[in-house]
């Protein structure tokens, strides 16, 4: 039995001929070290203008291999974070100066320790004590990103979304409370895994909170091209937030088109945020690109409109088919309303990990909700970016896995 993959957040549709042709042409050239060129940045800027009505400033474009590298670069090699200074008086004066210690004949090891301590103390007087970055994200959140944040040593504050009859909404008081003193807000638009495409009003409210609390928003919009007409880039909704260097807007064609292995992403950022990101890229050696990936991404953004339209229409129809089928076959299943992404998020009222194991035995792969936060353990995430017949067979196997165990 051939496994049907409804678990991975990627397209299972055919790669457009124009992209395949661009890859073939690039493969005929030496596959040497490559740096992104102006053609790539112009292509994504033009795409954002004609597809999403946002004038993306080409001069602000920064290459990254993957959208998640935006987060990992800033957390692991970005600017130092500080708590506010508690007391600026008397700290330096209470410490012996290293030069004085040397004159008194102190061992060189002690002198060195005093010099290091003096440097740390001077920094604390000026900035406050150093601390790990504080990161806020909505829950459910992509499990690999949460793991990456925690592995970096950062503090992760999760804000659980509220379920109103199958429509997930932001808990605004909880989000505001979490953003107090936070350094970064991880944002996805449309949201992964729930499929929410945020309204302009919601985006502006997020931007207002970010301005008040000086929280930098890292907006990963990799699923934007599957939105059903309600998608607005945060940079368009909150141009002031972007202009003040409190927003990084990241895009990639690798979910829109079936080319998730062609790692290419472009970040738009300005001011100190852009400088910090450039330094972090250098420190982590995230500067070189795959020549085939650059060719594929450029072709996708230059000539992928017709294919993107076809795929968006198919995914929209597949979302409706999936919701109707699950509600009819499993009356207790609550399917979340979605306006974007190529996925569905549904509460099956049973342990998702157990369902996922049974489903694999039936020949279909699904993603258990517990991977997006332990409070979502009865949910599953299902990918619907695949041909209708294959999707129907996968859903039939999933329902058989659930009903046979009842």
């Amino acid at each position: 039995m051939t496994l049907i993959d409804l678990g991975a957040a990627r397209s299972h549709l055919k790669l457009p001929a124009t992209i395949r042709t661009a890859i073939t042409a690039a493969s005929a050239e030496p596959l040497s070290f490559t740096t992104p060129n102006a053609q790539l940045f112009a292509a994504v800027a033009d795409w954002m203008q004609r597809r999403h009505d946002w004038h993306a400033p080409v001069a602000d474009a920064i290459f990254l291999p993957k959208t998640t590298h935006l987060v990992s670069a800033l957390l692991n090699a970005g600017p130092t974070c500080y708590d506010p200074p508690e007391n600026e008086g008397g700290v330096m004066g209470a410490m012996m100066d290293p030069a004085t210690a040397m004159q008194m004949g102190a061992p060189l090891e002690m002198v060195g320790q005093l010099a290091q301590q003096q440097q740390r103390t001077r920094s604390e007087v000026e900035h406050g004590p150093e601390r790990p970055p504080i990161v806020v994200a909505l829950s459910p959140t992509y499990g690999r990103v949460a793991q990456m944040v925690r592995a970096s040593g950062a503090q992760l504050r999760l804000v659980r979304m509220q379920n109103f009859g199958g429509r997930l909404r932001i808990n605004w008081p909880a989000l505001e409370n979490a953003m107090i003193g936070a350094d970064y807000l991880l944002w996805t638009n449309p949201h992964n895994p729930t499929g929410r495409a945020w309204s302009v009003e919601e985006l502006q409210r997020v931007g207002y909170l970010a301005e008040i609390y000086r929280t930098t928003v890292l907006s990963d919009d990799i699923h934007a091209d599957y939105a059903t007409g309600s998608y607005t880039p945060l940079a368009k909704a909150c141009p002031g937030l972007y202009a003040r260097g409190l927003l990084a807007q990241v895009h990639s064609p690798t979910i829109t088109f079936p080319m998730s292995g062609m790692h290419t992403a472009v970040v738009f950022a300005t001011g100190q945020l852009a400088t910090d990101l450039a330094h972090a890229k250098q420190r982590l050696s995230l500067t070189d690109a795959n020549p085939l990936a650059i060719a594929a991404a450029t072709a996708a953004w230059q000539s992928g409109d017709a294919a993107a339209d076809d795929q968006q229409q198919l995914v929209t129809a597949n979302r409706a088919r999936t919701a109707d089928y699950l509600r009819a076959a499993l009356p207790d299943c609550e399917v979340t309303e979605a306006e974007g992404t190529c996925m569905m998020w549904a509460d099956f009222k049973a342990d998702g990990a157990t369902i996922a194991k049974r489903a694999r035995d039936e020949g279909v792969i699904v993603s258990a909700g517990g991977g997006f936060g332990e409070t979502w353990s009865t949910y599953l995430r299902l990918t619907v970016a695949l041909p209708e017949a294959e999707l129907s067979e996968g859903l039939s196997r999933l329902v058989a896995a659930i009903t046979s165990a009842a």
Side-chain angles (χ1 to χ4, degrees):
M1 179 186 299
T2 301
L3 278 174
I4 296 176
D5 188 359
L6 301 185
R10 59 184 176 87
S11 172
H12 298 269
L13 302 171
K14 289 185 178 180
L15 189 68
T18 53
I19 300 176
R20 192 177 298 278
T21 298
I23 295 172
T24 301
S27 66
E29 302 295 328
L31 300 179
S32 55
F33 291 114
T34 301
T35 55
N37 52 38
Q39 190 177 23
L40 173 74
F41 297 144
V44 62
D46 288 345
W47 179 272
M48 295 306 298
Q49 178 70 64
R50 69 178 184 270
R51 304 285 299 187
H52 305 299
D53 195 29
W54 177 50
H55 178 67
V58 178
D60 294 349
I62 302 170
F63 165 80
L64 282 174
K66 299 181 67 176
T67 59
T68 52
H69 287 160
L70 170 63
V71 180
S72 61
L74 289 173
L75 293 185
N76 292 289
T80 303
C81 299
Y82 302 93
D83 279 327
E86 294 182 2
N87 182 6
E88 297 186 7
V91 177
M92 297 294 291
M95 182 187 303
M96 179 178 287
D97 182 74
T100 303
M102 182 175 290
Q103 292 174 359
M104 293 175 63
L108 289 178
E109 182 180 356
M110 179 182 293
V111 173
Q113 291 174 349
L114 285 171
Q116 293 177 359
Q117 180 62 35
Q118 185 185 66
Q119 185 177 7
R120 286 195 298 269
T121 304
R122 183 177 290 114
S123 176
E124 290 184 7
V125 168
E126 181 180 353
H127 302 289
E130 292 186 16
R131 59 161 174 78
I134 298 173
V135 180
V136 177
L138 296 180
S139 176
T141 192
Y142 186 36
R144 289 183 181 178
V145 172
Q147 292 170 4
M148 177 181 65
V149 171
R150 293 189 174 109
S152 74
Q155 177 190 146
L156 180 60
R157 298 175 178 174
L158 293 175
V159 178
R160 195 179 196 278
M161 296 175 69
Q162 296 173 307
N163 189 347
F164 291 86
R167 182 170 177 80
L168 293 181
R169 299 179 182 176
I170 297 171
N171 183 335
W172 291 105
L175 178 61
E176 179 170 5
N177 186 61
M179 289 177 67
I180 297 173
D183 303 291
Y184 300 106
L185 169 64
L186 304 188
W187 194 251
T188 56
N189 185 24
H191 183 258
N192 177 13
T194 69
R196 281 296 319 276
W198 309 109
S199 68
V200 172
E201 181 182 2
E202 288 170 318
L203 294 173
Q204 290 176 340
R205 193 167 179 179
V206 168
Y208 176 71
L209 293 176
E211 292 251 23
I212 289 177
Y213 298 112
R214 307 301 296 172
T215 302
T216 299
V217 183
L218 309 179
S219 187
D220 181 350
D221 293 23
I222 195 171
H223 297 278
D225 294 310
Y226 286 114
T228 54
S230 56
Y231 165 75
T232 300
L234 183 57
K236 179 184 177 184
C238 304
L241 187 73
Y242 180 85
R244 281 183 276 280
L246 288 173
L247 169 61
Q249 185 88 41
V250 59
H251 297 273
S252 172
T254 58
I255 294 294
T256 304
F257 303 99
M259 45 186 277
S260 55
M262 293 291 187
H263 294 170
T264 305
V266 175
V267 181
F268 293 94
T270 189
Q272 187 61 46
L273 176 58
T275 301
D276 291 340
L277 180 56
H279 289 165
K281 277 185 57 180
Q282 291 289 342
R283 292 179 65 184
L284 297 180
S285 190
L286 294 173
T287 53
D288 291 326
N290 181 325
L292 301 184
I294 295 297
T298 302
W301 279 324
Q302 284 179 336
S303 59
D305 295 76
D309 288 341
D310 291 344
Q311 292 186 169
Q312 194 269 349
Q313 291 172 11
L314 175 62
V315 166
T316 299
N318 279 351
R319 281 202 297 263
R321 294 186 188 102
T322 300
D324 291 344
Y325 181 82
L326 291 178
R327 286 166 181 156
L330 304 168
D332 291 337
C333 178
E334 183 177 73
V335 182
T336 300
E337 291 184 27
E339 304 98 356
T341 78
C342 60
M343 298 165 291
M344 301 288 290
W345 183 245
D347 185 358
F348 286 79
K349 312 297 184 181
D351 182 64
T354 301
I355 294 176
K357 184 178 183 302
R358 291 172 178 163
R360 191 177 185 92
D361 292 339
E362 289 287 340
V364 60
I365 301 171
V366 296
S367 292
F372 300 84
E374 59 183 17
T375 61
W376 304 95
S377 61
T378 61
Y379 283 73
L380 296 179
R381 188 188 71 176
L382 308 174
T383 297
V384 296
L386 62 171
E388 180 183 352
E390 189 175 348
L391 173 64
S392 297
E393 176 61 24
L395 292 174
S396 176
R397 294 179 186 181
L398 173 60
V399 169
I402 296 172
T403 55
S404 64

